[in-house]
C-alpha cells in the first residue's frame, strides 16, 4: 500500500463550533480545505490507536456528501485506518451513527466522521459540515476539538492512498487494499432499529397506532430522516406510507431549511392546523412530527397544538418510567442546556431527581451519561434524547411520544390528545412560557459589541452599582436579581467552559438569555431566549407572546439590539 504525502498549507478558520465545523459547501470544496481538516483530526489522535482501526464515515445526504466520503476514505487509509463503515448511498442519521459506533460488532469502532450541517440548508450555495465522534458515540469534547483546531493551523501535509472505485449504492465489503484497508457499505438502519427495539415496546406501539381514532404524519424535510421514518413507522409499526411526507432525501433538501420548527416545517404545521386550530377537520391527524436534515432534532405536534421542545422533554421525563420499558426502573437523572426552559427542573424536583444545567450543545451531556448520572435530556432547539446513545435522537423522541400516548390511552373510549397530556402536565407542574428569537446573518462586529455591553452591564448589576430604573422604568418594581455569563464546570472531569450565554434573571425567576450561535457558516446569529414561569392555574391559557410581552420589551431595551444591529424584528421565532 503506497501512502502518498500531499503538501498543503493551513487555513486559519477551521475551528469547530457548537457541533463540528460548518462552512459554505464551496469552502469545503475549495483546494485542500476538507483534506486539511480531516488530516488535522487524525493528527490529533494517537497513531498507534488509529492503526488498523474501524471508523464510521457517513452523512445526511446533502450535496457533496458522497464526494467527501470518498476523499475521507483515502485519507483514512493513508493514516492507517483499517476499515471504514459507511451507510448505503452514503446516508446515516446522526443518532444512528452514534448507535452504530456504540453497538455494531460489539462496539469495535474507534470513532466516526459525520458529514452534516444538520438543520442548515444544503446545496452548492449553502452549508456543509464535518463532525468527529469518539468511541462512546458522542461528539468530541472541547479538549479534542481544540487540539484539532491547533493542528489545522500548523498543517503542512496530508496522507492519502489512491483507492480503486467502490459502489456506495450497494451493500457489501470492498477490499480496496487487500489485507490493509476496506470499506463496508452497510444498512444504516439495522443497528439503530435493533437498539430502539430494546428500548420501546414495539408490539404495543403496533397495536396502538392501529386504533381507528389515531392517525399521524411524519415530515422528513427531505433529509436523512426519510429512510428511518419509512423503516420504523411503516415497516416496523405498520403505518401506511401515506403517513410520510417529504421523506425522500434530496441533496438540497428540496430547497428548504431542513429545520423542524413552526416556520420551516410549514407543510406539517398546515396539515396539523397548529396555527389555525379553528379549522381542524375530521381528517386532521392526532399526532405530527418532523425531523431535521440529520434527524437528530424533532418537532412534536398535536392536533392544532405545538409542544415546545422544553415542555416535550419535561413531559417525557415525567412519564418515561410508566410508558417506556427502558426506563421502567426509574431515571438516573435529567439534564437540559442552560437556555432551555426550567420545565424539566420542576419535574426533577417533584421526582427527586438530579438535574444538570449544561451549556448549549449535545456534547456536554456525554460525560454525565458515561458516568451513569443521566437518563433523559433535552435542548430548547428541538433536541431530545437519552443515554441509549450519545446524540440527540429525532426518531426516539417520536417513539417516546407514541409510547406516552399509548400509555395514556390504554383504557380510554375517547382519545386523550397530545394537547390534553401537555395541559395536564401544566396543571401539575405549572407552565413555563417560552420563546426564542433568532436574528440571523447579522454582522459579527455589532453582535459581539452587544454581547460585550451585556456582559459589562451584568457585572454592574451584580455589583449593585446601577439604578435599574435608568435602563427601563419597569425594573424599579420588577428588578433583575442576577446577571451573569454562564460558566459550566463538568462534574465528571472538572473541565470548565465559560462564556456560554449571558443570562438576566428577574425577581420572579423569569429569564432573558443572549447567545451567539455556534453553528452558522457566515456572520453572526443572535439568539434571545425568553422564559416566564406561571403556576396560577387560571393563567395557563395565555398566548405565549402576551405572557412574554414585558420580557420581550425589556430584552430590547437592555440589549439595544435594534440600534446596534439595525434589526427591527427576529427572522425566526420559535
Ligand atoms: C444550535 C442549537 C443547539 C444545538 C446545535 C446543534 O446551536 O442552539 O441547541 O445543540 O444547534 O444542533 P447554536 O450554537 O447555533 O445555537 V444540530 O441539529 O445542528 O446538530
Ligand atoms: Co441536526
Amino acid at each position: 500500500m503506497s501512502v502518498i504525502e500531499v503538501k498543503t498549507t493551513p487555513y486559519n478558520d477551521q475551528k469547530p463550533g457548537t457541533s463540528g465545523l460548518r462552512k459554505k459547501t464551496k469552502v469545503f470544496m475549495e483546494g485542500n480545505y476538507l483534506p486539511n481538516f480531516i488530516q488535522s483530526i487524525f493528527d490529533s489522535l494517537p497513531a498507534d490507536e488509529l492503526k488498523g482501526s474501524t471508523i464510521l464515515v457517513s452523512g445526511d445526504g446533502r450535496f457533496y456528501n458522497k464526494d467527501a466520503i470518498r476523499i475521507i476514505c483515502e485519507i483514512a487509509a493513508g493514516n492507517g485506518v483499517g476499515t471504514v463503515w459507511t451507510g448505503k448511498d452514503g446516508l446515516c442519521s446522526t443518532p444512528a451513527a452514534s448507535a452504530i459506533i456504540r453497538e455494531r460488532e460489539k462496539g469495535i469502532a474507534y470513532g466516526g466522521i459525520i458529514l452534516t450541517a444538520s438543520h442548515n440548508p444544503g446545496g452548492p450555495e449553502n452549508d456543509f459540515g464535518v463532525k468527529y465522534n469518539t468511541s462512546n458515540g458522542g461528539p468530541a469534547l472541547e479538549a479534542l476539538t481544540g487540539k484539532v483546531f491547533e493542528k489545522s493551523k500548523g498543517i503542512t501535509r496530508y496522507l492519502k492512498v489512491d483507492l480503486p472505485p467502490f459502489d456506495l449504492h450497494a451493500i457489501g465489503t470492498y477490499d480496496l487494499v487487500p489485507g490493509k484497508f476496506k470499506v463496508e457499505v452497510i444498512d444504516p438502519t439495522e443497528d439503530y432499529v435493533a437498539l430502539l427495539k430494546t428500548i420501546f415496546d414495539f408490539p404495543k406501539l403496533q397495536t396502538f397506532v392501529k386504533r381507528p381514532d389515531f392517525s399521524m404524519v411524519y415530515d422528513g424535510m427531505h433529509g436523512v430522516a426519510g429512510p428511518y421514518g419509512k423503516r420504523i413507522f411503516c415497516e416496523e409499526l405498520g403505518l401506511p406510507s401515506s403517513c410520510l411526507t417529504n421523506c425522500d432525501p434530496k441533496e438540497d433538501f428540496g430547497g428548504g431549511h431542513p429545520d423542524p420548527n413552526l416556520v420551516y416545517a410549514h407543510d406539517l404545521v398546515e396539515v396539523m392546523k397548529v396555527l389555525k386550530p379553528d379549522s381542524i377537520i375530521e381528517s386532521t391527524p392526532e399526532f405530527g412530527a418532523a425531523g431535521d436534515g440529520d434527524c437528530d432534532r424533532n418537532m412534536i405536534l398535536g392536533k392544532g397544538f405545538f409542544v415546545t421542545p422544553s415542555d416535550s422533554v419535561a413531559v417525557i421525563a415525567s412519564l418515561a418510567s410508566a410508558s417506556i420499558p427502558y426506563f421502567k426502573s426509574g431515571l438516573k437523572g435529567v439534564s437540559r442546556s442552560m437556555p432551555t426552559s426550567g420545565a424539566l427542573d420542576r419535574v426533577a424536583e417533584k421526582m427527586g431527581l438530579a438535574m444538570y444545567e449544561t451549556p448549549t450543545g449535545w456534547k456536554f451531556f456525554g460525560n454525565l451519561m458515561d458516568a451513569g448520572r443521566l437518563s433523559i435530556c433535552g435542548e430548547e432547539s428541538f433536541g431530545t434524547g437519552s443515554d441509549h446513545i450519545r446524540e440527540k435522537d429525532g426518531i426516539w423522541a417520536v417513539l417516546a411520544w407514541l409510547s406516552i400516548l399509548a400509555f395514556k390511552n390504554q383504557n380510554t373510549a375517547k382519545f386523550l390528545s397530545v394537547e390534553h397530556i401537555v395541559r395536564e402536565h401544566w396543571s401539575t407542574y405549572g407552565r413555563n412560557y417560552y420563546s426564542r428569537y433568532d436574528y440571523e446573518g447579522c454582522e459579527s462586529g455589532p453582535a459581539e459589541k452587544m454581547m460585550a455591553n451585556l456582559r459589562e452591564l451584568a457585572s454592574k448589576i451584580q455589583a449593585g452599582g446601577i439604578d435599574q430604573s435608568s435602563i427601563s422604568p419597569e425594573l424599579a418594581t420588577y428588578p433583575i436579581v442576577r446577571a451573569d455569563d454562564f460558566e459550566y464546570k463538568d462534574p465528571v472531569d472538572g473541565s470548565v467552559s465559560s462564556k456560554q450565554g449571558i443570562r438576566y434573571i428577574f425577581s420572579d425567576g423569569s429569564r432573558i438569555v443572549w447567545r451567539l450561535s455556534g453553528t452558522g457558516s457566515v456572520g453572526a446569529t443572535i439568539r434571545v431566549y425568553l422564559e416566564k414561569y406561571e403556576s396560577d392555574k387560571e393563567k395557563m391559557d395565555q398566548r405565549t407572546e402576551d405572557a412574554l410581552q414585558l420580557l420581550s420589551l425589556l430584552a430590547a431595551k437592555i440589549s439595544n439590539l435594534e440600534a446596534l444591529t439595525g434589526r427591527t424584528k427576529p427572522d425566526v421565532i420559535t
Side-chain angles (χ1 to χ4, degrees):
M1 184 166 81
S2 59
V3 176
I4 307 165
E5 198 173 305
V6 184
K7 293 239 166 322
T8 188
T9 48
Y11 297 86
N12 59 8
D13 64 347
Q14 299 198 319
K15 188 176 177 10
T18 312
S19 184
L21 181 69
R22 293 188 192 172
K23 296 284 171 199
K24 289 286 169 210
T25 312
K26 281 192 173 146
V27 172
F28 269 106
M29 293 171 75
E30 256 166 42
N32 291 335
Y33 201 87
L34 177 67
N36 272 21
F37 188 65
I38 300 300
Q39 183 63 51
S40 302
I41 295 173
F42 290 136
D43 283 342
S44 307
L45 303 167
D48 57 322
E49 289 182 12
L50 275 179
K51 200 164 186 312
S53 66
T54 296
I55 63 168
L56 171 76
V57 179
S58 213
D60 64 9
R62 69 182 58 224
F63 180 80
Y64 197 51
N65 188 43
K66 289 181 195 154
D67 294 343
I69 289 174
R70 160 157 278 282
I71 293 168
I72 296 168
C73 284
E74 296 202 333
I75 300 172
N79 282 275
V81 170
T83 304
V84 166
W85 293 334
T86 188
K88 183 176 177 298
D89 303 321
L91 295 180
C92 188
S93 75
T94 293
S98 187
I100 290 167
I101 295 169
R102 294 170 65 79
E103 305 286 334
R104 192 173 179 87
E105 296 185 16
K106 301 197 173 71
I108 62 156
Y110 183 67
I113 295 176
I114 304 178
L115 307 175
T116 174
S118 188
H119 55 287
N120 299 17
E125 301 304 322
N126 291 306
D127 291 5
F128 193 77
V130 179
K131 184 163 82 163
Y132 182 70
N133 281 30
T134 50
S135 61
N136 74 343
L141 299 180
E142 282 177 344
L144 180 53
T145 57
K147 199 165 169 190
V148 173
F149 181 45
E150 288 311 313
K151 294 281 180 191
S152 77
K153 289 190 287 191
I155 193 168
T156 57
R157 56 90 184 98
Y158 71 89
L159 306 173
K160 66 175 264 195
V161 171
D162 280 331
L163 297 174
F166 54 93
D167 186 3
L168 272 179
H169 306 287
I171 288 177
T173 300
Y174 300 86
D175 236 334
L176 302 177
V177 184
K180 295 267 194 214
F181 180 77
K182 61 181 192 293
V183 169
E184 286 178 28
V185 177
I186 62 174
D187 171 352
T189 62
E190 194 185 321
D191 303 274
Y192 178 62
V193 172
L195 177 64
L196 290 177
K197 284 186 172 171
T198 67
I199 297 170
F200 298 100
D201 186 342
F202 270 64
K204 189 170 172 186
L205 294 179
Q206 284 159 358
T207 311
F208 167 71
V209 299
K210 287 198 187 83
R211 266 179 83 124
D213 52 2
F214 176 78
S215 56
M216 72 171 261
V217 46
Y218 184 74
D219 189 332
M221 303 196 82
H222 293 302
V224 78
Y228 292 88
K230 231 172 260 172
R231 170 77 202 268
I232 291 158
F233 305 131
C234 301
E235 289 167 31
E236 300 291 340
L237 296 186
L239 282 157
S241 58
S242 57
C243 81
L244 304 175
T245 54
N246 303 328
C247 275
D248 45 332
K250 292 192 175 156
E251 290 199 330
D252 67 347
F253 306 111
H257 274 252
D259 194 353
N261 59 40
L262 294 177
V263 177
Y264 296 128
H266 34 75
D267 294 356
L268 180 71
V269 170
E270 173 60 34
V271 169
M272 297 302 296
K273 306 289 179 207
V274 176
L275 305 177
K276 295 177 258 176
D278 294 343
S279 52
I280 287 173
I281 47 174
E282 180 87 31
S283 62
T284 307
E286 276 295 339
F287 181 71
D292 71 332
D294 61 333
C295 200
D296 56 352
R297 295 186 177 204
N298 73 91
M299 177 168 70
I300 300 294
L301 303 175
K303 195 183 257 189
F305 190 80
F306 168 59
V307 185
T308 72
S310 298
D311 279 345
S312 177
V313 66
V315 171
I316 293 174
S318 73
L319 293 168
S321 59
S323 48
I324 303 171
Y326 182 78
F327 301 111
K328 69 171 182 293
S329 50
L331 306 182
K332 297 167 186 157
V334 295
S335 182
R336 62 166 173 82
S337 64
M338 183 275 281
T340 303
S341 97
L344 185 61
D345 307 38
R346 307 274 160 184
V347 174
E349 206 182 330
K350 215 167 216 156
M351 293 173 69
L353 293 170
M355 204 320 283
Y356 302 91
E357 185 177 35
T358 57
T360 294
W362 209 262
K363 57 180 178 279
F364 295 100
F365 296 129
N367 271 349
L368 295 167
M369 289 178 176
D370 288 347
R373 297 197 192 191
L374 170 58
S375 297
I376 288 179
C377 54
E379 293 193 280
E380 50 66 40
S381 54
F382 298 83
T384 330
S386 94
D387 63 347
H388 64 294
I389 54 171
R390 296 293 178 271
E391 292 277 5
K392 53 189 181 271
D393 190 340
I395 298 278
W396 176 92
V398 176
L399 292 173
W401 268 94
L402 289 177
S403 304
I404 287 170
L405 285 166
F407 166 69
K408 284 284 186 182
N409 281 290
Q410 268 170 139
N411 303 308
T412 51
K414 186 173 173 303
F415 194 82
L416 291 185
S417 67
V418 169
E419 177 169 357
H420 173 92
I421 292 167
V422 175
R423 288 193 180 279
E424 195 174 69
H425 185 92
W426 291 339
S427 73
T428 311
Y429 297 95
R431 177 172 179 186
N432 293 68
Y433 286 97
Y434 188 85
S435 208
R436 179 176 111 179
Y437 296 175
D438 292 336
Y439 300 83
E440 295 175 347
C442 297
E443 275 176 59
S444 299
E448 302 278 2
K449 177 87 183 98
M450 187 194 87
M451 294 299 282
N453 292 349
L454 284 167
R455 219 168 266 133
E456 202 185 311
L457 183 62
S459 43
K460 278 191 196 149
I461 292 171
Q462 242 355 73
I466 190 162
D467 168 15
Q468 294 192 20
S469 62
S470 68
I471 307 170
S472 189
E474 295 82 359
L475 295 177
T477 51
Y478 185 57
I480 299 156
V481 293
R482 180 168 168 198
D484 63 8
D485 198 343
F486 182 60
E487 182 175 279
Y488 178 65
K489 184 166 180 207
D490 186 306
V492 182
D493 66 17
S495 60
V496 173
S497 304
S498 48
K499 295 197 168 175
Q500 296 294 325
I502 300 169
R503 50 184 185 177
Y504 282 43
I505 303 173
F506 295 82
S507 47
D508 66 347
S510 294
R511 301 189 301 165
I512 305 174
V513 175
W514 289 269
R515 273 183 72 247
L516 297 185
S517 155
T519 57
S521 58
V522 278
T525 291
I526 300 171
R527 306 203 195 286
V528 186
Y529 311 79
L530 309 174
E531 176 184 7
K532 181 176 191 292
Y533 177 67
E534 184 57 73
S535 59
D536 184 342
K537 286 200 169 59
E538 303 298 306
K539 293 185 180 160
M540 295 294 154
D541 276 328
Q542 302 169 66
R543 295 190 322 156
T544 298
E545 53 270 45
D546 295 339
L548 297 176
Q549 198 183 13
L550 175 60
L551 285 174
S552 173
L553 176 102
L554 291 173
K557 283 200 181 170
I558 295 168
S559 68
N560 229 349
L561 185 143
E562 185 174 339
L564 284 165
T565 65
R567 296 303 180 89
T568 52
K569 61 175 178 40
D571 300 281
V572 180
I573 298 182
T574 45

